[in-house]
Amino acid sequence: DCLAQLVLEEAVCARRGERVLLQDHAESAILGGGEVLDPAAPAHRRLDESRRTWLQALQCASVGGSISHLLAKGQLVDLGRLARAWNLDPAQVSPEQSCGEQCRLFEVDGTRWCSAHGQWQSALESICAAVDRWHREQPTAQGIKARLLQEALAESTHPALLLGALAFSPLA
C-alpha cells in the first residue's frame, strides 16, 4: 500500500471511497489502481506529516475513527472539511459519539472545530501564561490586544484554537 496524488489535465468528479484504475494513454494497459481518499486535496502539495496524518485518518473505517485518529495525533479537526471528505452533510458529523469527553467542540467564523481536551487545556494555559507575561512586562498598561496575543502564540497554537479558546476564556 502507498499514497499517491494524481495530477490530471482535466477536472474529474470523484468521491471518497470510489475505486480508480490507471491506464496508459492508449488505454491498452492497466498501470495500477486504488481508492479515492481525498477528492478535494490541495493541488501539488508535498506530503508533509500533517497531510500524511489527514490521509491516514481518511483510511479509517468510519468518520468517528477519522476524528479519533486526528485527535490522537494532536491535530485540530475542521468538521466541515472532514464531512466533505466523507461525502456527508456537516450536520451528520457528531464527534461526541466517537470521542465523548475526550474532545472539545467550538466554532470560529462559522467553522465547527474539534480539539482533544488536552489540546484545549494547553491553549487556555498558553493564553493565561502569555497574558501574565505581558502584564509583568507592562504593569501599567490596560491589557493586551487580541492581535498581539495571537502574534505571541502564533507558533505554538493553531489560530482557530486560539480564537475559540479566547472566546471561551473568562479573559475575553
Side-chain angles (χ1 to χ4, degrees), residues 40-132:
H44 306 290
R45 182 171 171 197
R46 291 203 181 272
L47 190 62
D48 61 14
E49 195 56 38
S50 172
R51 182 78 182 131
R52 181 182 312 280
T53 299
W54 175 257
L55 292 173
Q56 289 169 341
L58 292 179
Q59 290 177 308
C60 291
S62 68
V63 68
S66 292
I67 293 170
S68 294
H69 179 83
L70 290 166
L71 294 178
K73 297 288 187 172
Q75 294 226 357
L76 194 60
V77 182
D78 175 341
L79 295 172
R81 178 180 174 215
L82 186 65
R84 286 187 300 278
W86 275 85
N87 311 316
L88 298 172
D89 181 300
Q92 293 177 286
V93 177
S94 178
E96 302 93 338
Q97 294 172 342
S98 58
C99 304
E101 298 284 325
Q102 299 175 12
C103 67
R104 171 73 186 201
L105 298 176
F106 61 97
E107 190 170 315
V108 174
D109 296 330
T111 300
R112 288 178 54 223
W113 294 90
C114 181
S115 75
H117 183 67
Q119 190 178 24
W120 177 262
Q121 281 304 121
S122 178
L124 292 177
E125 291 167 8
S126 294
I127 291 169
C128 289
V131 170
D132 286 345

Side-chain angles (χ1 to χ4, degrees), residues 2 16 21 110 129 169:
C2 70
R16 184 195 167 281
L21 286 177
S169 174

